[in-house]
């Protein structure tokens, strides 16, 4: 065993190094607040109810906590389902990363933790950006039954279903 392997095996989880559930709860709230204020993505929350926002916040915290080594259980939808039809683009993705960076600065997150959080987040990019807007699909297909979804008119996202794409989207199992 190398010294690096021994250090990695003995290192506390990212969850612990970030300060546990309460710290992640505060950080996630700050990220959501910054994204709500961002000119490129703030509109996403423009018509969201208080209840829906609170559920999104808790799901975000539980998602991060579970994946970073905490004992929270994420019960939300998988990332593809949660983002399918949102019409998110590279501009939205970069705005989110910019908001994360601002929060890193606000919380004085050390460079090694910033890197680790960013590496985690980037794994989900294929599941978050690239879907057409569900509204645009419905409006472009006047005879579409909106309850049947985009697939009913031939719009499939993600478009590929080969093993390479499946490997690119992390699973939510602990």
């Amino acid at each position: 065993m190398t010294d690096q392997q021994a250090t990695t095996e003995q290192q506390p989880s990212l969850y612990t190094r970030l300060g546990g559930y309460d710290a992640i709860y505060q950080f996630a709230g700050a990220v959501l607040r910054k994204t709500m204020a961002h000119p490129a993505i703030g509109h996403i929350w423009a018509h969201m109810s208080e209840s829906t926002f609170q559920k999104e916040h808790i799901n975000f915290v539980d998602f991060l906590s579970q994946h970073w080594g905490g004992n929270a259980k994420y019960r939300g939808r998988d990332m593809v389902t949660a983002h399918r039809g949102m019409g998110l683009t590279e501009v939205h993705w970069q705005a989110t990363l910019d908001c994360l960076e601002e929060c890193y600065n606000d919380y004085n997150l050390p460079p090694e933790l910033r890197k680790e959080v960013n590496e985690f987040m980037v794994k989900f990019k294929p599941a978050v950006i690239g879907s057409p807007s569900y509204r645009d699909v419905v409006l472009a297909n006047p005879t579409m039954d909106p309850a049947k979804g985009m697939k009913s008119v031939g719009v499939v996202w993600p478009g590929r279903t080969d093993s390479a794409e499946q490997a690119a989207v992390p699973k939510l199992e602990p």
Side-chain angles (χ1 to χ4, degrees), residues 61-77:
V61 173
D62 290 348
F63 178 82
L64 296 175
S65 295
Q66 177 179 329
H67 285 281
W68 291 346
N71 61 3
K73 175 75 173 148
Y74 175 68
R75 291 177 173 83
R77 298 168 293 160

Side-chain angles (χ1 to χ4, degrees), residues 2 20 35 37 40 49 55 59-60 72 78 80 83 85 88 93 95 113 120 129 133 139 156-157 168:
T2 68
T35 58
S49 71
K55 182 177 180 181
N59 276 339
F60 187 33
D78 66 87
V80 169
H83 295 90
L88 300 176
W93 181 258
L113 291 178
F120 170 80
I129 69 164
S133 158
L139 295 177
V156 179
W157 185 82

Side-chain angles (χ1 to χ4, degrees), residues 60-134:
F60 187 33
V61 173
D62 290 348
F63 178 82
L64 296 175
S65 295
Q66 177 179 329
H67 285 281
W68 291 346
N71 61 3
K73 175 75 173 148
Y74 175 68
R75 291 177 173 83
R77 298 168 293 160
D78 66 87
M79 291 298 105
V80 169
T81 302
H83 295 90
R84 182 182 291 121
M86 288 184 71
L88 300 176
T89 66
E90 186 65 37
V91 169
H92 300 111
W93 181 258
Q94 190 55 55
T96 302
L97 294 180
D98 292 346
C99 291
L100 275 171
E101 192 64 37
E102 288 179 33
C103 287
Y104 297 158
N105 292 335
D106 292 348
Y107 284 83
N108 297 315
L109 201 65
E112 65 277 2
L113 291 178
R114 293 174 189 226
K115 182 178 184 291
E116 197 169 340
V117 171
N118 279 340
E119 286 172 354
F120 170 80
M121 299 301 263
V122 167
K123 292 188 299 187
F124 292 93
K125 184 177 179 180
V128 173
I129 69 164
S131 169
S133 158
Y134 192 64

Side-chain angles (χ1 to χ4, degrees), residues 32 36 45 48-58:
L32 290 171
M36 291 168 88
W45 291 269
M48 184 180 286
S49 71
E50 176 183 23
S51 172
T52 301
F53 175 82
Q54 290 170 347
K55 182 177 180 181
E56 180 175 306
H57 181 204
I58 291 301

